Amino acid sequence: MNDTQLATQIATQVISDTKFWIGIIGLLGAIVGSLLTIFGNVLLHWIKQKPQNELERSRIKMLKDMLSDDRFPDKWRLLSTMSAVIGADNEETKRLLFKAGARGSEKADGKWALVEIILYPNLSDVRNQVYLAPSERLTNKV
C-alpha cells in the first residue's frame, strides 16, 4: 500500500466518523429540544392555571366551611345561597361541592350537605326506589 492509498483510506475513515458524530449530535439536539419544548409547555400551562386552581381551592374551602357551620344545626344549605356566596353559577357550584365531598338532598329541594356529616340513607331503600322498575320494586308487606 503506498502513501496515496493510505491517505485516501484515512480521509475516507475520518469523513465517515465525522458523519456519524454529526448524526449523533443532531439526534441529541432533537431530543433535548423536544424535552425543553415539553417542559416549557407544561410550565406555561401550570403558570396559566395557577390563579384558577387557587380560586377553586378557596371556593371549596368556603363551601366546606358553610356546610359545617354550627349556626345551621341540620347542616343542610341551599345551592342558591352557596352559589351566591362563592360567586359561581349553579353548575360550577355543584362541581365544586362534589369535589368538597358533599351531596344533594334526596328530596331534590336544592339543599346540600357534607357526606361525612350527613350520611346516605339505607342504600337498599334508595336502590329500591330509584333504580328498579315499578314491577321489580320490593313491597313493604309484613
Side-chain angles (χ1 to χ4, degrees):
M1 186 180 290
N2 63 23
D3 291 341
T4 308
Q5 289 175 336
L6 182 62
T8 305
Q9 186 178 5
I10 291 172
T12 306
Q13 186 63 37
V14 168
I15 291 171
S16 176
D17 289 347
T18 304
K19 287 180 182 179
F20 172 77
W21 288 111
I22 288 173
I24 293 295
I25 291 170
L27 179 63
L28 289 176
I31 291 171
V32 169
S34 298
L35 291 175
L36 288 175
T37 300
I38 291 169
F39 176 74
N41 286 336
V42 168
L43 182 64
L44 184 63
H45 177 72
W46 181 78
I47 290 171
K48 282 183 176 181
Q49 286 297 109
K50 187 176 180 188
Q52 182 65 27
N53 292 341
E54 289 175 2
L55 175 64
E56 186 172 295
R57 278 192 296 275
S58 66
R59 283 177 166 173
I60 289 172
K61 182 185 180 318
M62 193 176 297
L63 288 170
K64 284 182 175 182
D65 291 344
M66 288 179 71
L67 292 172
S68 59
D69 191 343
D70 291 332
R71 294 179 297 162
F72 299 88
D74 64 348
K75 301 297 184 187
W76 290 99
R77 299 296 301 265
L78 286 172
L79 177 66
S80 58
T81 302
M82 292 184 288
S83 292
V85 169
I86 67 167
D89 63 12
N90 285 348
E91 293 305 312
E92 176 69 5
T93 304
K94 287 178 186 178
R95 187 182 72 79
L96 294 172
L97 282 165
F98 278 114
K99 286 184 93 170
R103 69 175 186 89
S105 169
E106 297 87 15
K107 298 176 185 175
D109 55 2
K111 291 184 179 181
W112 287 72
L114 288 174
V115 173
E116 63 190 36
I117 296 174
I118 307 291
L119 299 176
Y120 282 103
N122 185 344
L123 291 180
S124 63
D125 291 344
V126 173
R127 182 181 177 277
N128 188 33
Q129 294 172 9
V130 177
Y131 297 110
L132 299 178
S135 62
E136 297 175 318
R137 291 185 184 160
L138 299 174
T139 58
N140 292 332
K141 294 178 184 176
V142 179

